[in-house]
Amino acid sequence: MRAVERLAKAGNAFYLFGKVWKSGGVRGMGLLACWLLSALWGTAGERGLHLFTLHQYVVQLNELRVSLGLPPLKLNLELCEAAQTQANEILIMQACSHVDRQGRRADARALQAGYRFMMLAENLAAGQPSWERAMEGWLNSPPHRMAMLAPDYREVGVGSAWTNTGRYTTAWAQVLGTRRGVYPLIINLDAPWTENPSVRLYVHGARRATAMRLSNDGRNWSEWRTPQEWVDWELPHEPGEHTVYVQLIIRGRVYETSDSILLR
């Protein structure tokens, strides 16, 4: 599925591109070493600020999805790498295209970043002044909306880029994915921090599970319980980063995952 839509406003050209892939679309490709995040995002302080911004973008997306009865998505750094690479390419090429200068599409970029997907979709935009405007454009384009609001995706990566020259001075990329056997846990719609130790969890895979249990330290677990997608949970009350763990029994196998959040 491929869609191209041109939007014109105030004399500026806005472009949107959307593409969906299934696993198996790229054959015979060996995984290459992931680029260091520092190469993409600069110093440790800059990376921290950038990661905070990415989480804020994902929270906005998740608020929309949850309001429509859809599951939230978990920010994934491998998908962020794939998205960021193409956002940069858009400004270098001055073309909103799914194909980069090496001839790669999102499926190849995701695999190169180490993301072994079962499902994958990419939304691109160029010329919008903000993430909110890019989101608005995708929502107003049926194929992009379909990808962004598909119920079967579990993870997402976001990329953004700016420049002072050229036809396009901004670029936005969103890569949505699902991996086989990976069931993310999401705290507070993937917010980076909270001021309240009472949080809301979303457990991907709960519908497939026969039992689940949770922990604040990965050692002391709750009793096995009936699986629920939405769970009210209490963090330790001490300020700092806290991690919540969940174990799911699915077809006799135990799957464990976790998520962290900063309590201020």
Side-chain angles (χ1 to χ4, degrees):
M1 176 176 64
R2 178 166 181 157
V4 182
E5 180 177 355
R6 179 173 180 173
L7 307 176
K9 184 170 184 179
N12 294 323
F14 295 164
Y15 279 88
L16 302 173
F17 276 70
K19 182 83 174 180
V20 175
W21 288 265
K22 292 285 187 179
S23 61
V26 174
R27 300 179 184 273
M29 173 175 287
L31 293 179
L32 302 179
C34 295
W35 290 356
L36 293 176
L37 292 179
S38 58
L40 291 173
W41 297 329
T43 66
E46 290 170 340
R47 291 197 302 274
L49 179 59
H50 187 77
L51 189 59
F52 178 89
T53 301
L54 295 181
H55 274 283
Q56 294 295 91
Y57 290 162
V58 174
V59 168
Q60 293 178 41
L61 173 58
N62 282 338
E63 287 174 344
L64 172 64
R65 287 177 60 92
V66 170
S67 73
L68 297 173
L70 299 168
L73 304 174
K74 177 66 185 166
L75 185 70
N76 177 276
L77 293 184
E78 293 164 343
L79 290 181
C80 285
E81 180 180 331
Q84 185 62 50
T85 297
Q86 194 59 14
N88 293 342
E89 285 286 301
I90 289 172
L91 295 189
I92 293 171
M93 298 187 300
Q94 284 294 297
C96 193
S97 170
H98 288 290
V99 183
D100 63 20
R101 289 171 296 165
Q102 286 73 45
R104 301 173 305 174
R105 296 179 179 271
D107 47 358
R109 291 190 297 272
L111 288 170
Q112 182 170 337
Y115 191 86
R116 301 290 296 180
F117 64 89
M118 182 173 66
M119 296 173 55
L120 194 77
E122 178 180 75
N123 284 337
L124 302 175
Q128 291 79 357
S130 67
W131 169 254
E132 290 79 9
R133 290 288 295 278
M135 285 267 291
E136 180 182 349
W138 291 328
L139 284 172
N140 289 331
S141 170
H144 299 88
R145 181 185 179 94
M146 184 183 300
M148 190 163 60
L149 301 181
D152 294 329
Y153 290 118
R154 302 173 192 159
E155 298 171 293
V156 65
V158 178
S160 58
W162 296 263
T163 186
N164 293 324
T165 60
R167 181 182 186 186
Y168 298 125
T169 58
T170 61
W172 309 90
Q174 178 189 78
V175 183
L176 306 100
T178 296
R179 292 178 287 173
R180 192 180 307 278
V182 176
Y183 304 104
L185 172 66
I186 301 171
I187 304 174
N188 282 3
L189 302 184
D190 215 21
W193 58 271
T194 180
E195 294 181 345
N196 190 339
S198 298
V199 295
R200 184 83 160 154
L201 311 178
Y202 184 85
V203 184
H204 279 276
R207 289 188 181 183
R208 303 185 179 192
T210 55
M212 64 181 283
R213 63 179 184 173
L214 298 108
S215 172
N216 274 326
D217 58 13
R219 297 184 301 275
N220 300 294
W221 293 89
S222 67
E223 296 295 324
W224 288 103
R225 57 196 287 181
T226 301
Q228 296 174 270
E229 291 178 302
W230 290 102
V231 179
D232 292 319
W233 188 251
E234 194 76 10
L235 300 173
H237 287 208
E238 298 79 13
E241 185 179 68
H242 295 287
T243 302
V244 180
Y245 302 81
V246 64
Q247 289 184 341
L248 300 169
I249 298 179
I250 301 176
R251 296 178 182 176
R253 178 179 172 183
V254 177
Y255 292 84
E256 181 174 320
T257 189
S258 64
D259 192 20
S260 299
I261 193 168
L262 179 66
L263 178 62
R264 293 172 38 169

